[in-house]
Amino acid sequence: MANQAAGKGNSIRACNQARILVAAEAVFAEAGFHGATTASIAARARLPKANIHYYFGTKGALYRAVLANILDLWLGALDAIDVSRQPADALGDYIRDKMYWSRTRPNASKVFANEILHGAPQLGGYLANELRRRVDQKAAVLRHWVRRGLMDPVDPVHLIFSLWAMTQHYADFEVQVRAVLGRKRLSDADFAAGADTIVKLVLDGCGVRQGRAAAVARARLKA
Amino acid sequence: MANQAAGKGNSIRACNQARILVAAEAVFAEAGFHGATTASIAARARLPKANIHYYFGTKGALYRAVLANILDLWLGALDAIDVSRQPADALGDYIRDKMYWSRTRPNASKVFANEILHGAPQLGGYLANELRRRVDQKAAVLRHWVRRGLMDPVDPVHLIFSLWAMTQHYADFEVQVRAVLGRKRLSDADFAAGADTIVKLVLDGCGVRQGRAAAVARARLKA
DNA sequence: GTCTATATATGGATAGAC
DNA sequence: GTCTATCCATATATAGAC
C-alpha cells in the first residue's frame, strides 16, 4: 500500500514538477525574478500555490532549477565549433543552431538574459568557471583556423560575443523585432532571413575561405 | 517672499528630481522594475523615501520618466546613417557611437533592455511607431547604397538588428563579458577591441567598398 | 517644500485539515 | 501526498507634523 502510494506519488510528482518548471520558465521570462509571483506560476501550472512550495521549497530554489535546465541547453550549442571541421560549416551551424533555440525556446533565452542583465546573482560562478573555460577552448579553435589561413585574424572572444548577441537578440528583443518588422508573430521565414543575414555577416566578415579558396590559402601557407 | 520661496523651491526641485532620476536609472538597471524599491532609490539618492512620491507620484511614473530620458539618447544615435555619407564611415561611426553609449551609459541600456525583454509594457507604442518609422528610413538608406554598388545586398532591417545586438551586448551582458575576459572591470581597451571586431565584421560582412573599390563599383554600374 | 509615521496591499511561506 | 486558510514580512503610497 505504501509502495503503491509511493509509485503513484512519484509519477504525479514527476509530472507536477515538470509542469511547474515549464510554467515557471514562462513566468520568469515575462516578469523577471521579482515580478514573477508564486501565485502566477501556480495559476499557469493549474496547481494550488502551496504545491509550488511543497515541490521546490522556495521561489529562489525553483528559479535555480529553471536556470539549471537552461544551462544544459546552452552548454551543448558550442559543440558545433570543432577544430576538425571547416570554419564555414562550423560557424554556419552554430549560428543556425542558436537561432533554432531562439525560435523554439525564447523563454529560456529570456530567463538567462534577465539573470545576466541583473548581475548574474545566481550564475556568477558558472560564468567565471565553466563558461569561461569553454569559451577559451573555442577561442583556441578559432585561432587555429586563423593560423591556417582559413579565416582573417579576428579576436575570437569578441567574435563569440557577437555571435551570442546577434542570435539571442531574436529571442530576448523579440517584441522589438516584431514591432519593427510589423509582425504579429515572427514566422519561420523571419528567423531564416535573420539567420541568413548573420551567417553572411560572419562568414564574409571573418573572411572565411571556402572550397577552392581554402585550398589556395593552405597551399600559400606551405610555400 | 512667495517668489523667493518659489525660486529656491524650483532650484531644489530641479536638483532633487535630477538626483532621483540618476538613482532610479541605476536601481532599475540593477534590479528591474519589480526588483527596484522606492526605498532603495531614495537611499541611493540620499533623500527620504517620501520625496520620491512627492516629485514623481508613483513608482511607475518615475520609471516612465527614466525611460523617456533614455529614448532621447537612443533617438540621436541612428543619425550617423545618412545617405550623403560613405557607408564605411556611416556604419563605422554608428558602431563606435553605440559602443560609446554602452561604455558611458550602461544603465540606460540595461533599463531599456529590461523593458523590451519583458514585453515592452511601457514602450510598445514607441516601438511600433517612432522606432519603426526611423528604422524604415535608415533601411531605405542602406538599400540605396546597395543599389549604387557600394555594398553587398544585405537585408537592411536584419542588419540593423545585428548592429543593435552586438553593441548593446557590451552594456547589457557586461557581467558575462567581464567573466569570460577575466576582468574585474572592462577597460577602454576592451571596448575598443570589441568595437574593432564589430566594425570589421560589419564592413567586410556587408562587402562595403571603400576608396578605389567604391569608385570601381560606381564606374561598373554606369557601364 | 520636506520628512516622519503609518495605512494598506501584496506576496512568500507554512500550519494543519483532508 | 494534496490543498485551504492564514501568518507575517515587505513595499507602495499617503496623511499630517514641521
Side-chain angles (χ1 to χ4, degrees), chain A residues 145-177:
Chain A
W145 287 335
V146 168
R147 273 196 306 275
R148 291 195 54 193
L150 295 174
M151 54 188 283
D152 294 344
V154 176
D155 187 304
V157 177
H158 286 284
L159 172 60
I160 289 170
F161 291 150
S162 283
L163 294 173
W164 289 343
M166 290 187 283
T167 52
Q168 292 169 202
H169 186 83
Y170 287 84
D172 303 339
F173 287 70
E174 179 238 346
V175 193
Q176 182 175 254
V177 171

Side-chain angles (χ1 to χ4, degrees), chain B residues 28 33 36 38 41 52-53 56-68 115 122:
Chain B
F28 283 130
F33 179 76
T38 51
I41 293 170
I52 307 294
H53 289 96
F56 291 93
T58 68
K59 180 183 169 183
L62 172 57
Y63 178 66
R64 281 186 291 278
V66 170
L67 279 179
E115 165 71 8
Q122 302 300 327

Side-chain angles (χ1 to χ4, degrees), chain B residues 12-13 48 50-51 54-55:
Chain B
I12 292 175
R13 169 176 287 268
N51 281 27
Y54 173 67
Y55 284 118

Side-chain angles (χ1 to χ4, degrees), chain B:
Chain B
M1 210 159 79
N3 281 344
Q4 191 192 358
K8 189 185 174 190
N10 282 337
S11 169
I12 292 175
R13 169 176 287 268
C15 175
N16 282 356
Q17 281 182 332
R19 277 171 65 183
I20 292 169
L21 282 169
V22 169
E25 185 180 273
V27 174
F28 283 130
E30 276 171 25
F33 179 76
H34 292 283
T37 63
T38 51
S40 61
I41 293 170
R44 189 178 258 260
R46 292 177 181 251
L47 286 171
K49 193 175 61 163
N51 281 27
I52 307 294
H53 289 96
Y54 173 67
Y55 284 118
F56 291 93
T58 68
K59 180 183 169 183
L62 172 57
Y63 178 66
R64 281 186 291 278
V66 170
L67 279 179
N69 271 355
I70 295 169
L71 294 189
D72 283 346
L73 214 73
W74 256 224
L75 277 176
L78 273 170
D79 286 348
I81 299 180
D82 186 290
V83 73
S84 69
R85 307 184 68 199
Q86 291 298 310
D89 299 334
L91 291 169
D93 282 359
Y94 181 63
I95 290 164
R96 292 185 201 283
D97 206 36
K98 290 283 291 174
M99 286 296 272
Y100 173 80
W101 291 122
S102 283
R103 182 164 60 82
T104 57
R105 294 288 302 274
N107 287 338
S109 187
K110 283 178 179 174
V111 173
F112 183 82
N114 190 63
E115 165 71 8
I116 306 296
L117 189 61
H118 298 127
Q122 302 300 327
L123 293 186
Y126 163 80
L127 299 179
N129 298 304
E130 284 94 323
L131 185 66
R132 187 182 177 190
R133 264 197 298 277
R134 199 138 173 74
V135 170
D136 283 346
Q137 288 167 5
K138 298 310 172 183
V141 172
L142 292 166
R143 280 195 205 92
H144 176 78
W145 287 335
V146 168
R147 273 196 308 275
R148 290 195 56 191
L150 295 173
M151 55 187 283
D152 294 345
V154 176
D155 187 304
V157 177
H158 287 284
L159 171 60
I160 289 170
F161 291 150
S162 283
L163 294 173
W164 289 342
M166 290 187 284
T167 52
Q168 292 170 200
H169 186 83
Y170 286 84
D172 303 339
F173 288 70
E174 179 237 347
V175 191
Q176 182 174 256
V177 170
R178 270 198 288 118
V180 169
L181 289 176
R183 303 275 197 279
K184 264 196 183 150
R185 231 180 124 267
L186 291 182
S187 67
D188 289 0
D190 292 323
F191 276 94
D196 289 346
T197 303
I198 298 169
V199 168
K200 176 179 161 38
L201 273 185
V202 170
L203 294 193
D204 288 356
C206 294
V208 171
R209 256 75 68 179
Q210 299 178 61
R212 204 175 49 195
V216 171
R218 277 196 295 274
R220 253 192 221 133
L221 270 187
K222 283 180 189 168

Side-chain angles (χ1 to χ4, degrees), chain A residues 9-91:
Chain A
N10 282 339
S11 170
I12 293 175
R13 168 175 289 267
C15 175
N16 282 355
Q17 281 183 331
R19 276 171 63 183
I20 291 169
L21 282 170
V22 169
E25 187 180 273
V27 174
F28 284 130
E30 276 171 26
F33 178 75
H34 292 284
T37 64
T38 51
S40 62
I41 294 170
R44 188 178 259 260
R46 289 173 184 255
L47 286 170
K49 193 174 64 162
N51 281 29
I52 307 293
H53 290 97
Y54 173 69
Y55 283 117
F56 290 94
T58 67
K59 180 183 168 181
L62 172 56
Y63 178 66
R64 281 186 290 278
V66 170
L67 278 179
N69 271 356
I70 294 169
L71 294 189
D72 284 345
L73 213 73
W74 258 223
L75 277 175
L78 273 168
D79 286 347
I81 299 180
D82 187 290
V83 73
S84 69
R85 308 184 67 201
Q86 291 298 311
D89 299 336
L91 290 169

